[in-house]
Amino acid sequence: MSLFITFEGPDGSGKTTQISLLAEHLRAMGHDVLITREPGGTSIGDQIRTVLHDVKNVEMMGETEFLLYSASRAQLVREVLQPHLARGGTVLCDRFADSSMAYQGYGRELDLEAIRLITQFATGGLTPHLTIYLDLPVEVGIQRKQTAYVAQAGEWNRLDRQTLDFHRRVRQGYLKMARAEPDRWLVIDATQSIDDTQAAIRARLKTLLSSVRKVRTA
Ligand code: TYD
């Protein structure tokens, strides 16, 4: 059975750790798990990522930024995600289309309807079965990211340079999307321990898997 799970959340919310723990769990259950990320995940996507994250690109317009994320996404969907899902595999993706809605839509305040339309085109309508949002107060996220950067364990990109207000709008945007589609979203308080967060994810996954099985046998 193919399964597409995406992880969203502010920088520093622990997505990478949670993704590897979940992958371990799913592999033990026999799933063929592929981990990937946005922007990137393909050779073309990684080249686009370099342009997007380069702190020298101060003149980049919000529209350009959104279209570049969408271009990377269109490539990832067709080159990697669709083939793996078509083989019955499971995909865990670090960020997906909801990041564009949160950062470019709510954060940069670009037209939400235009983002929806272009995203539909870029993804070919591919939507996650489950989206896990690791929620963190904005200040805590920025603090964690800075600590990682100072410890040379993380990169400092163009998006990190945004104001506190920008990051607050992004968070509110995520929470709004999660409220609008509660069946797809799982919001988790990411200030909890790594183990508690992972336990909440696994509990929700169990429910999801049993409901999919019910539909299949019905
Ligand atoms: P990344 O280094 O992958 O960090 P993170 O750990 O936060 O995922 O940086 C990705 C950055 O790109 C992050 O600041 C959010 C931003 N982004 C967008 O603004 N729009 C998008 O559509 C995507 C996929 C990412």
Side-chain angles (χ1 to χ4, degrees), residues 11 15 38-39 49 53 69 73 94-95 99-100 103-104 145 155 157 159:
D11 310 333
K15 294 191 297 294
E38 278 208 343
R49 181 186 176 92
H53 286 187
Y69 280 118
R73 184 165 300 135
D94 187 343
R95 299 192 179 281
S99 278
S100 281
Y103 286 80
Q104 283 66 52
K145 182 93 192 198
E155 69 163 8
N157 65 49
L159 276 297

